[in-house]
Amino acid sequence: MTTLVSVHGLEMTYRAPVRPEGLRAAFRALVHREYRHIAAVADMSFDIAAGEVVGFLGPNGAGKTTTLKILSGILHPTSGDVRVLGFLPSRRRHEFLTQIALVRGSQPIGLPTELTVLDSFRYQQLLYGVRAADYQASIAELTEMLELQPLLDRQVRALSLGERMRAGLALALLYRPRVLFLDEPTLGLDVTAAIALRRFVAAYAARTGATVLLTSHYMADVQSLCRRVVLIDHGRLRYDGGLDALAADLAPYKLLRIALADPVPVSWEDFGTVEESDGGSVTLRVRRDDAAAVTGRLLTQLPVVDLSVTDPPLETVLDRFYRAEAK
Amino acid sequence: MSRILHLLWLSIWRSSLQWWSRRSFLITIVIGRAVTPLLGLIVWSAALPGDSAVATYYVVLLAVQLMTVSFEHHTLSNGIYAGNLGGELLAPKPVVIGYLGENLALRLWHLVFGMPLIVLAAALVGISVEWPAVAMAIPAILVAAALRFVFTYALALSALWTERAHGVVGFGETLIFLLGGTAAPLGILSEPLRSIGQALPFWSMLGMPAEVAAGTLHGSAIVAAYFVQLGWLAAGTALVVGVWRVGVRRFTALGG
Amino acid sequence: MLRLLRLFGALFSMSLRRQLAFRADLVFELLLTVVALVSSVAALGMVYSRTSTLGGWHAGQAVALLGTFQIVSGLRAAFVEPNIQWLDEQVRDGRFDPMLVQPAPTIFLASLSSCSPLALAEVILGFGVVFVGVRQSAETPSVMAIVIWLVLLLAATAIMWASRVLVAAVVFWALALTLDVVYDSIWQFARYPVDVYRRPLRLAMTYVLPIAVLSSIPASTLVRNANALAIPVVGGIAVAACVLAQQVWRLGLRRYTSATS
């Protein structure tokens, strides 16, 4: 499979001026400015093949948005190799820009906001050189799939965030980019809107074979869309691989939730570590490899009324992981 | 009453600090406000070379302008557009206090940052001011400052009815420019334009104190001008109170 | 380039259609433009009621100059200001980033991508004012003078664009600095013939700041003496200014793309 995005040894360091405390230091700073170096991205390497839908996860300030900005050409990295579609993104060549799209959840539409949605489509068509036939087909399809019909005549600045996100997505997909960068796409959306958006992106990617790079802090985004996850923390790549394997890697245990018919005194420690215990049910933490065996023992030895075996919620896993890394 | 004054003082203090932290932008604003009197100075000095009275008048006008600037279309109108009015109506203080405080703070900074400009212009032009005249003008400046605030505030309240409040206030500013003594010193104009101009409120806001301080207005004319000024201040205040009441009723009925 | 022109044309017609849809706004805006225009002409009239020449310019000539100023001002208000006045905010908010990802020159997107066709009313009225001034000066300019005037207007517009972009580009180096108000203040000095200003200021406005080029030089060609030599000189300045603006913008972008978070 062709590699569309290749990143090797990427570094992005900024200089931020140190603002000193105290009057004397402030005067000295006037003459001699001191800087500290912040490494937003350090030694990052990964490859993404055509058609993949990859999720970038990480706490706030991890460097996910910075990475996306570098890949789309907005930021010029300090060092390292970046190639997207064979181009150097920071050169911002015309052929490169017409094949990518960047949609940011915080402001999904980058066009003049006094235009109506329909006018914005026309603007995009001219900007990206979409042929008339393709334009008609795309606009009809996108309007239907994203339910934009009632929005077409309204000015962009009069739309709510959810409406802007849908319109912004449609505007980005109008010219069928080969690579789609989505930065926090469900930010600020209500549950229904977020679910609809995820469904749409998944369907779109499956149908057109577009490569999607998605950043989010919502686990639900990544779980429903991506098979491959890249975990970024403090600018470094911590994990790159399948989503299922991530849980197994970071948290090699399973959770067993048991409800008993009668409250029988049980020493749960024989079976596993107690995570939670509330009245009728108990949640045990058990090593993955032992899960099946322990389940069997529980079922035979105790009056079990309800039992479920689940993976630990990825959110909790990640939360523990970030906090451990922070130390 | 003392509580109101205390609140006003707090508002002035807070606004002064806020604007100090944006001083580089503020300096550009001061320059912007100083341009029309300066252009008037240059053009009229070129039109009437050797007439030191006109030059003195314009330098004094610059000072009066900086002391009477009003930006309520930016503070009040934009505040209404941003949806802040609801919150302000709930606070246990008259809404106008906050805006008055900011207005006074801005005028203070305009004077501070504009002083070098005034001094430079005065030095370059070689003005001659008589201090008794300036003393006579001080109450006029205070009334003019109050009148201009009231006028601009009333126009800025149009934000409760229309999206074009900036245009409305701009229209008012154009009238002040034309008939208030910036486009031409009123004393230079011929009748009946001069009398009409002196009767209208615009001159009372700007040109009148400048003419008193520059010494081009004498004796009974000053007394008459003061009467006109105070009359307009009373009328203007009544107008603002009326417009405010109607506006707030409309706002609370429609939700802004 | 052709694509940019088509884009520009489409944006213009979209903006026009939109502004025409709000009739009350249209009338109000027109009214404001007329009022401002009348006020400027009246102010000039007040000056000429007390003197017959101002810096060597007669009333009709000064009115023609004011009209020329209004034409270029109107073009600035219609095409450049609606975009460029937001640049400093956009750079601070991160709303500038989308322009970097769009396949068109960022300088075009930041300075010309939306317009306010209504401000063209000032341009049209400006032509009217020039006509009145020419009539009043009792000398009909030759066809060549008119042609030179039009060419110089074009050059003045280009210089206006370049200088406005240059002043706005300061934000790439000093994030907190907004010089929009200063630019507008200096702009006002072009209302009057540059000869009104005393020597040091006049020299500065002719050779350092492009004030003279905006209105005095084109108007001078129309109502005083037509000088074909003005075309290559002013034209050269216009080209140089545009090139400078482009280069400075590119440098600014390079700074922006390596420094933001």
Side-chain angles (χ1 to χ4, degrees):
Chain A
M1 266 214 288
T2 35
T3 309
L4 288 193
V5 178
S6 99
V7 172
H8 187 72
L10 193 63
E11 303 255 342
M12 180 80 209
T13 317
Y14 325 101
R15 303 189 310 168
V18 174
R19 289 184 205 289
E21 294 274 336
L23 203 56
R24 187 129 50 97
F27 272 112
R28 210 181 313 135
L30 270 177
V31 185
H32 178 70
R33 256 292 168 74
E34 262 180 41
Y35 293 93
R36 55 180 178 165
H37 290 195
I38 304 174
V41 171
D43 196 25
M44 193 165 312
S45 307
F46 56 83
D47 290 324
I48 298 180
E52 282 198 76
V53 180
V54 181
F56 285 75
L57 277 181
N60 277 330
K64 317 185 292 290
T65 304
T66 308
T67 307
L68 228 57
K69 284 191 186 182
I70 295 175
L71 291 174
S72 56
I74 296 175
L75 278 184
H76 196 115
T78 320
S79 68
D81 288 316
V82 187
R83 290 228 162 239
V84 176
L85 295 166
F87 294 97
L88 216 60
S90 51
R91 287 268 172 80
R92 302 203 321 275
R93 298 267 307 277
H94 185 90
E95 299 80 3
F96 168 69
L97 293 175
T98 47
Q99 295 184 74
I100 64 159
L102 171 65
V103 186
R104 301 191 65 179
S106 47
Q107 11 117 359
I109 300 185
L111 306 180
T113 49
E114 333 82 58
L115 295 177
T116 61
V117 173
L118 193 56
D119 280 343
S120 302
F121 275 118
R122 177 112 181 85
Y123 182 104
Q124 286 285 79
Q125 182 200 7
L126 284 172
L127 197 56
Y128 286 90
V130 181
R131 291 205 319 264
D134 295 335
Y135 175 73
Q136 293 303 335
S138 295
I139 209 177
E141 180 186 11
L142 290 166
T143 308
E144 198 207 307
M145 288 183 72
L146 287 164
E147 293 171 25
L148 297 177
Q149 196 55 44
L151 305 177
L152 288 179
D153 281 325
R154 293 175 54 192
Q155 284 187 299
V156 165
R157 65 170 164 211
L159 301 178
S160 69
L161 185 60
E163 292 168 338
R164 270 192 223 208
M165 194 59 215
R166 294 194 336 248
L169 209 48
L171 287 167
L173 299 177
L174 185 73
Y175 52 97
R176 299 189 191 281
R178 286 174 68 193
V179 180
L180 180 60
F181 297 109
L182 294 175
D183 188 30
E184 315 266 0
T186 55
L187 194 69
L189 296 185
D190 62 48
V191 166
T192 330
I195 293 178
L197 194 109
R198 284 177 211 132
R199 212 174 280 152
F200 172 78
V201 174
Y204 183 85
R207 212 184 59 249
T208 60
T211 311
V212 180
L213 274 80
L214 162 82
T215 69
S216 189
H217 18 259
Y218 298 129
M219 214 41 234
D221 285 348
V222 175
Q223 274 173 314
S224 61
L225 287 172
C226 315
R227 269 213 289 262
R228 177 174 161 200
V229 159
V230 173
L231 196 57
I232 301 181
D233 189 29
H234 286 92
R236 287 181 185 277
L237 197 140
R238 301 291 175 194
Y239 175 82
D240 181 1
L243 190 54
D244 308 317
L246 176 62
D249 200 47
L250 287 185
Y253 59 84
K254 283 201 177 267
L255 293 176
L256 267 62
R257 194 176 161 81
I258 305 134
L260 296 179
D262 320 301
V264 172
V266 185
S267 64
W268 294 107
E269 292 63 43
D270 297 340
F271 297 98
T273 340
V274 177
E275 278 275 301
E276 255 179 76
S277 158
D278 69 271
S281 62
V282 169
T283 308
L284 286 181
R285 205 169 67 177
V286 170
R287 278 188 37 221
R288 250 170 219 276
D289 307 331
D290 301 336
V294 171
T295 315
R297 280 167 52 208
L298 282 168
L299 288 171
T300 39
Q301 293 175 21
L302 298 173
V304 176
V305 129
D306 192 16
L307 184 142
S308 69
V309 182
T310 50
D311 282 317
L314 213 41
E315 237 124 13
T316 334
V317 168
L318 280 177
D319 175 50
R320 266 203 208 123
F321 174 72
Y322 296 151
R323 279 195 271 134
E325 288 289 326
K327 293 190 220 126
Chain B
M1 186 61 196
S2 69
R3 178 174 162 267
I4 298 279
L5 284 175
H6 184 62
L7 285 171
L8 182 60
W9 169 249
L10 281 177
S11 172
I12 298 174
W13 180 248
R14 195 165 36 96
S15 297
S16 301
L17 286 178
Q18 277 177 341
W19 277 104
W20 171 253
S21 72
R22 296 176 65 190
R23 52 194 177 278
S24 61
F25 178 58
L26 193 52
I27 291 175
T28 69
I29 302 265
V30 173
I31 294 174
R33 294 284 126 171
V35 162
T36 14
L38 283 177
L39 267 178
L41 172 64
I42 294 174
V43 170
W44 281 99
S45 300
L48 304 173
D51 187 341
S52 65
V54 150
T56 308
Y57 167 77
Y58 269 103
V59 174
V60 174
L61 188 73
L62 173 62
V64 174
Q65 161 85 321
L66 294 181
M67 286 188 270
T68 58
V69 285
S70 295
F71 294 101
E72 277 65 56
H73 44 315
H74 290 288
T75 57
L76 178 60
S77 304
N78 281 357
I80 293 175
Y81 290 146
N84 298 339
L85 193 60
E88 286 178 9
L89 286 171
L90 288 175
K93 71 170 201 248
V95 172
V96 73
I97 296 288
Y99 294 107
L100 181 57
E102 187 154 20
N103 182 296
L104 293 173
L106 280 167
R107 284 176 183 169
L108 171 71
W109 287 132
H110 271 70
L111 199 53
V112 167
F113 288 121
M115 195 52 82
L117 218 60
I118 299 173
V119 168
L120 186 65
L124 281 177
V125 155
I127 62 166
S128 50
V129 223
E130 314 218 335
W131 297 106
V134 174
M136 187 90 82
I138 291 179
I141 296 178
L142 292 173
V143 177
L147 181 58
R148 198 160 174 191
F149 172 72
V150 160
F151 179 70
T152 315
Y153 196 85
L155 289 181
L157 280 175
S158 64
L160 291 170
W161 285 273
T162 167
E163 290 279 315
R164 320 298 311 235
H166 283 247
V168 173
V169 175
F171 178 68
E173 292 282 317
T174 306
L175 288 174
I176 297 178
F177 164 76
L178 212 49
L179 300 166
T182 314
L186 238 57
I188 288 200
L189 295 179
S190 49
E191 299 293 338
L193 213 56
R194 188 192 319 166
S195 296
I196 296 178
Q198 287 178 336
L200 289 173
F202 315 110
W203 184 66
S204 296
M205 290 179 214
L206 191 56
M208 178 258 186
E211 285 197 33
V212 174
T216 47
L217 217 58
H218 310 286
S220 60
I222 297 187
V223 175
Y226 264 108
F227 266 114
V228 172
Q229 243 198 349
L230 290 166
W232 278 116
L233 182 58
T237 312
L239 178 71
V240 161
V241 169
V243 170
W244 171 253
R245 291 231 176 98
V246 174
V248 169
R249 206 176 308 148
R250 185 175 186 276
F251 177 79
T252 51
L254 294 178
Chain C
M1 188 61 202
L2 199 63
R3 191 177 58 98
L4 286 184
L5 277 172
R6 287 184 61 204
L7 190 62
F8 186 75
L11 281 167
F12 181 79
S13 74
M14 287 194 271
S15 302
L16 186 61
R17 199 176 358 110
R18 192 190 65 249
Q19 284 192 316
L20 288 176
F22 296 105
R23 217 135 42 106
D25 278 356
L26 191 76
V27 171
F28 190 79
E29 199 65 52
L30 239 57
L31 202 66
L32 279 184
T33 311
V34 169
V35 165
L37 205 105
V38 165
S39 156
S40 319
V41 176
L44 204 58
M46 287 180 189
V47 175
Y48 276 100
S49 72
R50 292 299 305 256
T51 177
S52 63
T53 69
L54 191 64
W57 290 60
H58 295 285
Q61 297 172 333
V63 170
L65 184 144
L66 182 63
T68 308
F69 169 78
Q70 282 159 343
I71 293 172
V72 186
S73 281
L75 290 173
R76 176 180 153 220
F79 296 116
V80 181
E81 283 300 323
N83 308 284
I84 205 79
Q85 64 173 307
W86 303 113
L87 183 67
D88 59 317
E89 259 183 55
Q90 289 171 333
V91 166
R92 275 176 231 133
D93 283 349
R95 282 184 289 150
F96 183 63
D97 290 346
M99 289 190 203
L100 289 168
V101 184
Q102 286 163 9
T106 328
I107 196 174
F108 168 81
L109 295 171
S111 63
L112 295 167
S113 66
S114 60
C115 47
S116 170
L118 232 48
L120 289 178
E122 191 178 356
V123 177
I124 297 171
L125 289 172
F127 272 104
V129 171
V130 170
F131 181 70
V132 165
V134 164
R135 284 287 297 275
Q136 203 176 344
S137 70
E139 283 173 23
T140 11
S142 61
V143 174
M144 186 182 82
I146 298 181
V147 169
I148 299 178
W149 176 68
L150 286 170
V151 172
L152 289 180
L153 262 185
L154 224 65
T157 309
I159 293 174
M160 171 269 293
W161 172 82
S163 61
R164 188 66 186 91
V165 166
L166 272 170
V167 167
V170 161
V171 72
F172 293 128
W173 282 272
L175 199 61
L177 202 55
T178 312
L179 294 176
D180 295 358
V181 179
V182 176
Y183 184 88
D184 200 56
S185 307
I186 300 181
W187 182 264
Q188 301 304 317
F189 280 79
R191 288 178 179 273
Y192 298 100
V194 78
D195 304 290
V196 162
Y197 307 116
R198 274 192 284 180
R199 216 146 184 275
L201 204 56
R202 189 185 344 139
L203 289 176
M205 288 186 184
T206 316
Y207 299 111
V208 178
L209 303 167
I211 304 291
V213 166
L214 290 173
S215 57
S216 295
I217 295 181
S220 174
T221 307
L222 190 64
V223 286
R224 281 152 72 96
N225 38 6
N227 187 353
L229 261 176
I231 293 191
V233 172
V234 177
I237 298 176
V239 169
C242 291
V243 169
L244 180 66
Q246 279 252 11
Q247 291 303 97
V248 169
W249 185 266
R250 193 173 304 168
L251 283 175
L253 273 192
R254 204 179 301 165
R255 243 187 100 90
Y256 179 81
T257 57
S258 59
T260 57
S261 62

